[in-house]
């Protein structure tokens, strides 16, 4: 059988000609032949299996960048990557299901009956290379927060952002107003950061200063998450570890657009360049989410001094151990320093448990 026209190949693969042209531009599915004059694409019959795999993965909702990465793997590794992707989809679906249940209860005038509390610990360390610590980590009975400052005034910037949220520890917050309250708190945090950074500086200037911020507010049944920058939040649930924040960095944007693979991003020279942050001239748009808590959940908030240095499998291993939050944050900081400690590192660990149960 000779080469197939793009129309015939589209019908056989169940992909549209428009999709095939996009996948060609992204290097995801390159035609076997392209006419140098007309630009008309032709495909080899043996490419049909590759095209059908792409179509199936798109039906799963997998982003194009991740599909390209999956296609670079051998069959066994690709199967493992698909399994990990679907586990994340199921976790996200469960989170949305929990949110839907919360909204049904709230709008029906019912409060979830969940006699739970959080047990928590926070630790921040300078690391082994930096002269000072620009991170701030905080854990209280209602508020958990990590901020990673940058620039000449990074330390006061991160402290100001977290301090602006601390009033949430004592303010009464109706469950239905959680996200609105956090949105207002981000506005206060932005103003507080501006108050300690140079008035004439803008993003990219030598005097530029600001901070990331990842925080969670506990109400007794839900955790409301606010996130901006590249500090992270993870959830350990039923033995599985999920990253529940999305990095606001240049390289993550390139991954999302299909211009980089995760492996390429790990060594990219701009991997620490933020596209969102709290600081003068920066995009301060925050991600806001609600999480219904479950007994046995463990949450980790950390700066990139941990996540960029310690492999995810090692983080998972430490979080899954039976040690309490205090022991766990010490172990995580120790892992970062054992890996060279190139950056400040901050961790907050919180466990969801029965009220009045035995403390670990």
């Amino acid at each position: 059988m000779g080469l197939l026209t793009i129309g015939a190949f589209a019908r056989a693969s169940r992909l549209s000609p428009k999709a095939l042209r996009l996948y060609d531009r992204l290097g995801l599915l390159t035609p076997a032949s392209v006419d140098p004059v007309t630009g008309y694409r032709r495909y080899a019959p043996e490419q049909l299996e590759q095209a059908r795999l792409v179509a199936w993965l798109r039906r799963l909702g997998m982003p194009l960048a991740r599909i390209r990465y999956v296609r670079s793997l051998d069959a066994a590794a690709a199967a493992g990557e698909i399994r990990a992707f679907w586990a994340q989809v199921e976790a996200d679906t469960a989170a949305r299901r929990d949110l839907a249940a919360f909204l049904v209860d709230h709008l029906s005038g019912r409060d979830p009956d969940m006699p739970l509390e959080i047990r928590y610990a926070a630790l921040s360390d300078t690391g082994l290379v930096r002269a000072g610590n620009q991170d701030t980590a905080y854990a209280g009975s209602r508020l958990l927060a990590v901020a990673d400052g940058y620039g000449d005034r990074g330390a006061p910037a991160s402290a100001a952002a977290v301090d602006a949220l601390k009033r949430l520890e004592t303010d009464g917050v109706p469950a239905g107003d959680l996200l609105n309250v956090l949105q207002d708190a981000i506005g206060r945090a932005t103003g507080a950061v501006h108050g300690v950074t140079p008035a004439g500086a803008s993003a990219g200037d030598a005097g530029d200063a600001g901070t990331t911020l990842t925080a969670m507010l506990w109400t007794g049944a839900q955790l409301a998450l606010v996130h901006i920058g590249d500090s992270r939040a993870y959830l350990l649930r039923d033995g599985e570890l999920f990253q529940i924040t999305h990095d606001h960095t240049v390289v993550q944007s390139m991954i999302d657009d299909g211009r980089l693979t995760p492996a390429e991003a790990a060594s990219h020279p701009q991997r620490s360049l933020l596209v969102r942050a709290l600081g003068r001239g920066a995009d301060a748009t925050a991600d806001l989410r609600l999480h219904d808590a479950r007994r046995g959940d463990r949450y980790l908030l950390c700066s990139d001094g941990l996540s960029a240095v310690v492999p995810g499998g090692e983080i998972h291993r430490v979080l899954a151990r039976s040690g309490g939050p205090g022991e766990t944050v010490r172990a995580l900081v120790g892992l970062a320093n054992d890996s060279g400690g190139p950056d400040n590192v901050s961790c907050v660990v919180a466990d969801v448990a029965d009220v009045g149960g035995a403390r670990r």
Side-chain angles (χ1 to χ4, degrees):
M1 183 185 295
L3 297 181
L4 301 174
T5 66
I6 189 171
F9 192 78
R11 288 191 294 275
S13 65
R14 305 291 181 93
L15 292 168
S16 69
K18 180 179 179 181
L20 289 172
R21 287 190 286 269
L22 172 63
Y23 299 163
D24 180 17
R25 289 198 299 273
L26 295 176
L28 188 61
L29 192 61
T30 304
S33 172
V34 180
D35 190 292
V37 177
T38 65
Y40 201 74
R41 298 166 172 83
R42 294 181 183 275
Y43 295 81
E46 54 266 28
Q47 289 183 283
L48 279 171
E49 185 173 350
Q50 303 171 33
R52 287 167 180 154
L53 175 61
V54 172
W56 290 332
L57 293 176
R58 287 299 288 160
R59 289 184 65 185
L60 286 179
M62 184 177 286
L64 292 176
R66 193 158 183 176
I67 292 174
R68 187 172 69 174
Y69 175 63
V70 168
R71 287 203 51 233
S72 72
L73 304 173
D74 60 38
E81 185 68 17
I82 294 169
R83 188 180 301 111
F85 169 76
W86 193 247
Q88 182 66 60
V89 170
E90 290 182 324
D92 291 342
T93 300
R96 289 194 296 270
R97 182 171 59 247
D98 291 344
L99 174 58
F102 158 74
L103 290 173
V104 168
D105 285 341
H106 171 65
L107 295 173
S108 302
R110 300 192 303 269
D111 291 324
D113 181 18
M114 296 182 68
L116 302 172
E117 65 179 2
I118 54 171
R119 292 128 190 211
Y120 48 84
L123 183 63
S124 186
D125 189 81
T126 303
L128 304 180
V129 175
R130 299 291 179 89
N133 191 352
Q134 295 186 309
D135 284 3
T136 298
Y138 175 82
S141 60
R142 298 190 64 194
L143 179 68
L144 313 169
V146 166
D148 182 355
Y150 61 85
D152 294 341
R153 301 281 292 165
S158 68
V162 173
D163 285 344
L165 268 62
K166 285 184 180 177
R167 72 169 66 175
L168 300 177
E169 285 272 40
T170 55
D171 289 353
V173 182
D177 290 340
L178 268 177
L179 296 184
N180 291 334
V181 167
L182 277 179
Q183 186 70 68
D184 292 343
I186 281 292
R188 292 195 301 272
T190 302
V193 171
H194 289 179
V196 300
T197 55
S202 61
D205 289 345
D208 180 26
T211 186
T212 69
L213 179 63
T214 301
M216 302 190 86
L217 181 64
W218 171 250
T219 68
Q222 290 88 31
L223 278 159
L225 169 70
V226 59
H227 167 68
I228 184 165
D230 64 350
S231 296
R232 290 182 177 179
Y234 294 88
L235 167 62
L236 181 71
R237 174 173 284 177
D238 298 329
E240 296 289 329
L241 184 64
F242 306 100
Q243 182 182 332
I244 58 175
T245 52
H246 193 69
D247 293 346
H248 300 143
T249 59
V250 169
V251 295
Q252 185 61 55
S253 297
M254 295 171 74
I255 291 171
D256 295 342
D257 292 341
R259 291 179 286 156
L260 277 183
T261 67
E264 292 168 339
S267 59
H268 195 281
Q270 293 181 315
R271 60 187 178 276
S272 297
L273 189 59
L274 299 171
V275 295
R276 295 195 220 168
L278 300 181
R280 294 187 183 276
D283 179 357
T285 305
D287 293 339
L288 299 169
R289 291 180 62 181
L290 276 176
H291 285 263
D292 250 14
R294 294 186 190 173
R295 186 179 296 103
D297 283 351
R298 168 167 278 191
Y299 288 89
L300 165 67
L301 278 59
C302 66
S303 63
D304 67 340
L306 178 72
S307 57
V309 175
V310 178
E314 285 296 291
I315 295 174
H316 187 181
R317 178 183 62 81
V318 172
L319 288 174
R321 292 192 316 210
S322 59
E327 177 185 341
T328 302
V329 293
R330 291 191 294 273
L332 291 169
V333 169
L335 277 179
N337 287 333
D338 288 345
S339 299
D343 197 358
N344 309 146
V345 55
S346 294
C347 301
V348 172
V349 170
D351 293 340
V352 180
D354 292 319
V355 173
R359 296 185 178 273
R360 295 185 294 173

